[in-house]
Amino acid sequence: MARRLFAGLRFVFALCVFEGAAGTETLVIGIAGRDVTLTCQNASQRALVVEWFQGDPDTAPVLFSSDGKLPEDARFSLVGNASLHITGLRPQDERNYTCKEVLNETDHLHRIQLLVASGPDRIDVHIQPTTVLPNGTFYAKRHGILNFTCTAISQPVPTIKWDFDPSGSPHELFTEVNGSQNSFILHQMSPRYQGNYTCSAKNPLSGFQETRTQELLVYYPPPSLPQCWVETSTESSRGVQLFCQWPGGYPHPSLYWRDKEDLSSKEINATSLADTIVATLNSSQLLHEKEFTCHGSHVLEQEAKASCTVQLVDPMIISDPVRNCFIGRAVTLTCLLIAGNPPARITWLRNISQPETEIRSTGRFHVSQVGNVSTLIIQNCSHSTDEGYYVCKAENSVGLREMYIHLTVTGFRAEMPSEISLEEKEAGPTT
Ligand SMILES: *[C@@H]1O[C@H](CO)[C@@H](O)[C@H](O)[C@H]1NC(C)=O
Ligand SMILES: *[C@@H]1O[C@H](CO)[C@@H](O)[C@H](O)[C@H]1NC(C)=O
Ligand SMILES: *[C@@H]1O[C@H](CO)[C@@H](O)[C@H](O)[C@H]1NC(C)=O
Ligand SMILES: *[C@@H]1O[C@H](CO)[C@@H](O)[C@H](O)[C@H]1NC(C)=O
Ligand SMILES: *[C@@H]1O[C@H](CO)[C@@H](O)[C@H](O)[C@H]1NC(C)=O
Ligand SMILES: *[C@@H]1O[C@H](CO)[C@@H](O)[C@H](O)[C@H]1NC(C)=O
Ligand SMILES: *[C@@H]1O[C@H](CO)[C@@H](O)[C@H](O)[C@H]1NC(C)=O
Ligand SMILES: *[C@@H]1O[C@H](CO)[C@@H](O)[C@H](O)[C@H]1NC(C)=O
Ligand SMILES: *[C@@H]1O[C@H](CO)[C@@H](O)[C@H](O)[C@H]1NC(C)=O
Ligand SMILES: *[C@@H]1O[C@H](CO)[C@@H](O)[C@H](O)[C@H]1NC(C)=O
Ligand SMILES: *[C@@H]1O[C@H](CO)[C@@H](O)[C@H](O)[C@H]1NC(C)=O
Ligand SMILES: *[C@@H]1O[C@H](CO)[C@@H](O)[C@H](O)[C@H]1NC(C)=O
């Protein structure tokens, strides 16, 4: 403020002097509310009397004079016997003043044109339709039509301009007008119009400038519905995490998890990051067929609640109960996972000892899984070591399912080709 005041004072003293035949003409710019001194240019010490007029001395009465006529308005005073001092300038003080220097033989007239600059004041920024956030920022909906209006009052009329600082892009000057209002329309509001809009109003006479900056955000809801899924916790194989993700909106939606059946239940303690919320269930909640719902809401769609539901499910598997392998050939045991949430882990076991031993891919055994199908391939079948029960075990945090598969290992009988399985053809040597 202090800097501006100083700049203003410099203006008051920026006089332009034009010499005319009848005397001098001067232009003085004063600032409303401040003081100004109009000097009777070159008033000579020899002057007997100095008289001041508002307007032309031929028609206007004497405002006051140095020989004792006092001005009616106490804001006017004489300084240094010749100069007119006005305190608290008002717009109506904007007049042509004449000082008349009465000398022995002649009179000298000095004309002073006083311009009073005021404002800009009451600068106002309206961006509509928008909603105000608690911190004063506005937000608008994407695809909307917005009217940006800036108004300011000044004497003489201000120059109003709009500037736009898009987030992360170079500054742009929008429009500039000489007038008390500057408005423009943006159609199809898009996120690239998000940023800070600054309106500046400048008094062309005094150079005084006022600015208002308004932050504008462009909001949009997620385009689709939230997605939910269940995962086994990475920290503990018994833990279950519920994931809920609702991407594509701005700002991020609010999400929470709740027990579906128990409507009185509170929100499940969860951690959210951006457009995803993750709830970690404790063991008392890990029940077969228990359902959890993720509820989402977006600031632009308060009423339209979006949700997705997950159900915890015990694993279910199907497999052939018996398989046969010819001595020296290979056999494939398959196990298909048809249910389980979170997805179950499938392992193969041999129940020849307690605890049962897990079969891993080594030597003649090869375990693999593609999608929901797990396969165990046994090569070079041996009657003594391989015949017996195999277990396909599917386990998730909710439950456990096991299927017993009995493998018989028999001698090769060429006269019964119908018993040669596909796997044997692939794995075995040519006959
Ligand atoms: C001021 O007075 C001096 C002499 O008294 C004169 O030379 C000069 O032209 C005058 N200037 C103005 C602006 O009247
Ligand atoms: C004002 O006029 C008086 C007498 O008329 C004189 O004594 C005084 O010095 C003058 N002041 C200035 C600043 O010229
Ligand atoms: C003051 O004088 C200027 C010319 O010098 C003229 O254009 C203007 O209209 C005058 N103003 C008033 C208020 O009479
Ligand atoms: C002014 O007039 C008075 C008499 O009226 C005279 O005495 C004086 O010398 C004059 N001064 C000048 C500078 O002409
Ligand atoms: C105002 O609040 C909005 C929403 O919380 C935020 O995105 C924005 O950065 C805030 N603006 C400022 C200037 O703090
Ligand atoms: C924008 O709104 C202002 C004030 O509400 C109005 O005066 C102006 O005409 C509008 N601008 C346009 C381009 O419609
Ligand atoms: C608006 O300006 C403020 C302050 O410079 C900045 O923190 C904020 O990120 C800007 N807002 C946008 C949307 O660019
Ligand atoms: C506004 O007025 C100034 C001074 O009269 C002029 O230089 C400028 O070109 C004008 N601007 C517009 C946008 O009319
Ligand atoms: C929610 O979880 C956090 C971190 O896991 C924990 O610090 C907090 O106490 C929990 N709150 C409740 C109400 O269980
Ligand atoms: C598990 O969560 C339920 C529901 O939030 C709560 O009532 C129970 O006390 C929790 N149990 C443990 C062992 O944290
Ligand atoms: C595997 O089974 C689960 C159910 O347990 C199912 O959701 C998923 O789509 C299946 N995956 C494939 C690749 O078939
Ligand atoms: C292996 O499983 C079968 C079928 O359930 C059972 O009869 C057999 O006793 C089990 N053998 C061992 C060693 O547990």
Side-chain angles (χ1 to χ4, degrees):
M1 196 60 192
R3 240 180 60 209
R4 180 181 296 154
L5 213 134
F6 181 67
L9 287 177
R10 279 216 315 263
F11 256 95
V12 174
F13 297 117
L15 309 174
C16 317
V17 178
F18 312 97
E19 276 187 66
T24 59
E25 291 207 2
T26 312
L27 178 69
V28 174
I29 294 163
I31 308 297
R34 309 267 177 86
D35 296 357
V36 71
T37 300
L38 308 181
T39 42
C40 190
Q41 190 69 31
N42 239 1
S44 120
Q45 290 296 321
R46 296 176 296 116
L48 305 175
V49 178
V50 173
E51 293 177 330
W52 281 93
F53 301 84
Q54 269 182 338
D56 186 352
D58 296 340
T59 52
V62 177
L63 187 62
F64 65 93
S65 72
S66 64
D67 65 358
K69 184 176 187 303
L70 292 174
E72 284 170 16
D73 190 335
R75 295 183 301 119
F76 291 72
S77 60
L78 192 66
V79 294
N81 290 344
S83 299
L84 167 60
H85 184 78
I86 309 174
T87 57
L89 269 180
R90 294 174 184 169
Q92 64 266 31
D93 297 334
E94 181 167 304
R95 304 283 282 270
N96 286 334
Y97 293 83
T98 308
C99 105
K100 183 174 175 187
E101 195 187 348
V102 181
L103 299 167
N104 248 10
E105 302 86 17
T106 51
D107 294 343
H108 279 179
L109 293 181
H110 303 280
R111 288 206 179 79
I112 297 151
Q113 182 178 9
L114 175 64
L115 296 178
V116 178
S118 71
D121 300 315
R122 303 205 290 276
I123 176 164
D124 260 319
V125 161
H126 294 280
I127 305 176
Q128 274 161 338
T130 52
T131 307
V132 191
L133 291 168
N135 64 4
T137 292
F138 290 176
Y139 74 79
K141 290 184 192 180
R142 184 166 63 175
H143 303 315
I145 297 173
L146 290 196
N147 175 341
F148 294 71
T149 298
C150 181
T151 54
I153 290 177
S154 79
Q155 171 62 37
V157 291
T159 299
I160 302 183
K161 68 180 168 107
W162 275 104
D163 288 283
F164 174 45
D165 274 309
S167 17
S169 309
H171 165 104
E172 282 179 49
L173 174 63
F174 268 31
T175 59
E176 184 173 294
V177 297
N178 290 327
S180 59
Q181 175 171 318
N182 182 350
S183 75
F184 66 94
I185 300 281
L186 283 184
H187 294 269
Q188 279 288 327
M189 280 308 290
S190 85
R192 71 187 184 90
Y193 294 135
Q194 171 165 305
N196 287 306
Y197 289 82
T198 301
C199 173
S200 314
K202 186 174 182 177
N203 188 313
L205 208 50
S206 64
F208 283 17
Q209 183 164 309
E210 284 289 331
T211 63
R212 286 277 182 286
T213 296
Q214 181 60 55
E215 185 179 50
L216 177 71
L217 302 177
V218 179
Y219 280 6
Y220 43 93
S224 51
L225 290 172
Q227 300 295 314
C228 303
W229 70 95
V230 186
E231 281 184 19
T232 302
S233 163
T234 47
E235 283 146 35
S236 105
S237 61
R238 298 295 310 158
V240 164
Q241 288 183 317
L242 306 181
F243 284 78
C244 179
Q245 189 172 51
W246 199 18
Y250 178 75
H252 293 308
S254 21
L255 299 167
Y256 65 92
W257 277 105
R258 183 178 268 182
D259 187 324
K260 191 189 176 198
E261 293 91 36
D262 183 2
L263 294 174
S264 65
S265 72
K266 292 207 292 275
E267 290 177 21
I268 297 171
N269 195 5
T271 49
S272 47
L273 181 69
D275 55 15
T276 305
I277 187 169
V278 182
T280 301
L281 298 181
N282 70 25
S283 52
S284 67
Q285 295 164 308
L286 298 178
L287 302 172
H288 175 55
E289 295 191 328
K290 191 167 177 62
E291 289 182 300
F292 297 92
T293 302
C294 169
H295 297 270
S297 63
H298 188 265
V299 62
L300 289 187
E301 297 187 345
Q302 298 282 12
E303 297 84 32
K305 297 278 185 204
S307 66
C308 54
T309 297
V310 290
Q311 186 177 40
L312 300 182
V313 181
D314 274 350
M316 281 280 278
I317 43 181
I318 50 176
S319 178
D320 287 340
V322 290
R323 295 288 288 145
N324 180 60
C325 184
F326 294 113
I327 294 166
R329 296 297 176 88
V331 69
T332 300
L333 310 187
T334 60
C335 187
L336 171 65
L337 182 68
I338 55 165
N341 203 18
R345 188 177 99 90
I346 302 177
T347 48
W348 290 90
L349 308 159
R350 192 69 209 275
N351 78 335
I352 45 177
S353 62
Q354 281 295 347
E356 293 163 327
T357 47
E358 183 178 341
I359 302 169
R360 298 185 189 277
S361 290
T362 50
R364 297 184 298 114
F365 296 93
H366 181 72
V367 177
S368 64
Q369 183 163 351
V370 176
N372 287 338
V373 182
S374 180
T375 54
L376 166 64
I377 298 173
I378 305 166
Q379 285 173 325
N380 195 8
C381 286
S382 148
H383 179 80
S384 56
T385 58
D386 298 337
E387 189 162 278
Y389 284 97
Y390 290 78
V391 185
C392 167
K393 180 167 116 180
E395 186 174 19
N396 66 13
S397 315
V398 188
L400 170 72
R401 193 64 57 112
E402 289 179 323
M403 283 281 290
Y404 281 77
I405 301 165
H406 189 257
L407 179 71
T408 53
V409 180
T410 57
F412 179 67
R413 285 189 293 165
E415 68 276 15
M416 291 181 69
S418 63
E419 281 194 12
I420 300 171
S421 73
L422 191 69
E423 297 79 32
E424 285 168 321
K425 273 193 211 152
E426 282 168 352
T430 48
T431 46

